[in-house]
Amino acid sequence: MAGSDRPTSRDVARVAGVSQATVSLVLGGKWRGRVSERTALAVRAAAGELDYRPNLAARSLRLGRTRTALLVVPALTHEYFARVYAGAARVADAHGFGVVLYPSPEGVGPARDPFGSARAAIDGVIASSMAADALAGIADGGLPLVMLDSGPGTEGGPPTVDLAVADGIRQVVRHLVGLGHRRITHLAADVDTWTFRVRAQTVREELGGVDGARLATERCGLDVRSAREAAVRALTASGERPTALLCDGDVLAAGACKAARGLGLRVPDDVSVSGFDDLELATALDPELTSVRLPAEDVGARGMSALLAALDGVPVAPVELPVQLVVRGSTGLPPAP
């Protein structure tokens, strides 16, 4: 091979000591069950050594694929969805795919077909945090579809990758109750999606079994201003003030902290505040925010892997990823009576 020539699959096969067919299987992600892991590693090593890049245009013509996936998210400005995209793009790149990121115009759906005829431009759809019927405009023509953080699927429905949302909220409630909090207000996102319905239901169930617990709910939009207004309502309502504000997200928790400061209250001495998502924002607040860490990149990566499997006709089992409570300075003992 001349130094100026672009390496080919034949060159990779020669260096790895295998056939071109084997190179195609390995680099196309279809080697499992057909090629040994040792051989697959040898092919990848040879491709790396030669800096081989497959001719995706030729491969697309051969397979009838564009090797492009569409990732539909409720918003481009939220850090969580940026991390989901990063995970999906990492897996996609390893398999010679690209990922087009597309926000649902209405935040949670329905999502319009961004290409006029999506079927001609993409191979499959990954949809994050929305109901399956929100994707009807895109996936009604039989495109493979994977749902992220949208709830358990139905038999014969699209593959699902979910977070253990109920367990995350359960960890928060038990943390607050363990500190001694009984008057808790839930700052609940005013969004009708699976993830927020599960959070509200779990808060009710957990506190329903705690003697002396009093739960109030204030609904708000997914922004700081709306959350601050909801927190002010909670903290100035008649009767005994809540000792903890349990928030559906870190952005809402930021609004709650702002409301507390505006009322001359200290976090956590006068009121504890918890979040959900564990964004960079959580450690930018003072005190730093107790929050639930979500493996967002893993969600995107597992979603892309599920889509690739679906494209190859491989059955995909539902996935639920664990979450973790991270305790920081925004939660503490309730104030003395």
Side-chain angles (χ1 to χ4, degrees):
M1 179 180 65
S4 60
D5 291 342
R6 176 174 174 169
T8 67
S9 61
R10 181 179 291 110
D11 299 316
V12 175
R14 175 178 52 78
V15 172
V18 299
S19 68
Q20 276 186 272
T22 297
V23 171
S24 296
L25 285 173
V26 172
L27 299 185
K30 299 182 178 181
W31 61 274
R32 296 187 184 279
R34 305 182 191 181
V35 175
S36 71
E37 188 164 346
R38 181 177 179 179
T39 298
L41 288 172
V43 170
R44 291 197 190 100
E49 177 186 335
L50 296 172
D51 195 25
Y52 169 73
R53 295 291 183 271
N55 186 331
L56 296 184
R59 181 186 289 177
S60 295
L61 288 173
R62 201 165 58 243
L63 299 178
R65 291 182 181 175
T66 65
R67 303 192 73 78
T68 303
L70 183 72
L71 174 60
V72 184
V73 298
L76 292 178
T77 55
H78 198 289
E79 178 188 328
Y80 171 81
F81 298 113
R83 288 159 53 195
V84 168
Y85 171 78
R90 172 169 48 83
V91 172
D93 182 65
H95 291 82
F97 266 70
V99 178
V100 175
L101 185 60
Y102 181 70
S104 169
E106 303 302 324
V108 294
R112 294 192 300 268
D113 182 336
F115 299 116
S117 177
R119 292 181 297 280
I122 57 177
D123 291 326
V125 179
I126 306 170
S128 182
S129 306
M130 56 188 65
D133 56 9
L135 277 298
I138 294 174
D140 60 358
L143 279 173
L145 171 65
V146 175
M147 303 298 297
L148 310 182
D149 196 27
S150 300
T154 57
E155 187 174 350
T160 57
V161 178
D162 289 318
L163 294 161
V165 174
D167 181 59
I169 287 291
R170 196 173 295 118
Q171 291 180 55
V172 176
V173 173
R174 292 179 181 181
H175 167 65
L176 293 174
V177 169
L179 289 170
H181 294 278
R182 295 297 182 272
R183 300 194 305 276
I184 298 174
T185 293
H186 180 201
L187 259 62
D190 194 14
V191 179
D192 186 22
T193 59
W194 170 80
T195 185
F196 294 121
R197 290 194 296 270
V198 168
R199 297 176 204 203
Q201 179 181 345
T202 304
V203 171
R204 291 193 300 269
E205 290 174 352
E206 281 294 305
L207 286 179
V210 176
D211 287 342
R214 283 179 280 172
L215 171 65
T217 301
E218 287 287 348
R219 304 189 70 81
C220 58
L222 291 171
D223 60 272
V224 171
R225 180 189 59 78
S226 182
R228 180 182 61 78
E229 293 172 353
V232 167
R233 293 195 300 270
L235 294 170
T236 58
S238 59
E240 292 185 288
R241 190 172 65 219
T243 63
L245 300 177
L246 188 159
C247 305
D248 268 352
D250 292 354
V251 172
L252 304 192
C257 290
K258 188 172 184 178
R261 285 195 304 272
L263 294 170
L265 301 175
R266 297 164 299 167
V267 176
D269 296 340
D270 298 313
V271 60
S272 287
V273 178
S274 67
F276 203 97
D277 294 334
D278 199 33
L279 308 176
E280 289 290 333
L281 174 64
T283 54
L285 295 174
D286 186 17
E288 294 187 354
L289 185 65
T290 292
S291 187
V292 175
R293 179 170 297 162
L294 309 181
E297 286 199 26
D298 287 347
V299 171
R302 296 294 288 271
M304 189 67 214
S305 295
L307 182 60
L308 291 170
L311 285 168
D312 287 338
V314 177
V316 182
V319 174
E320 183 179 77
L321 298 175
V323 301
Q324 177 188 5
L325 176 67
V326 181
V327 177
R328 300 191 181 96
S330 69
T331 52
L333 299 175

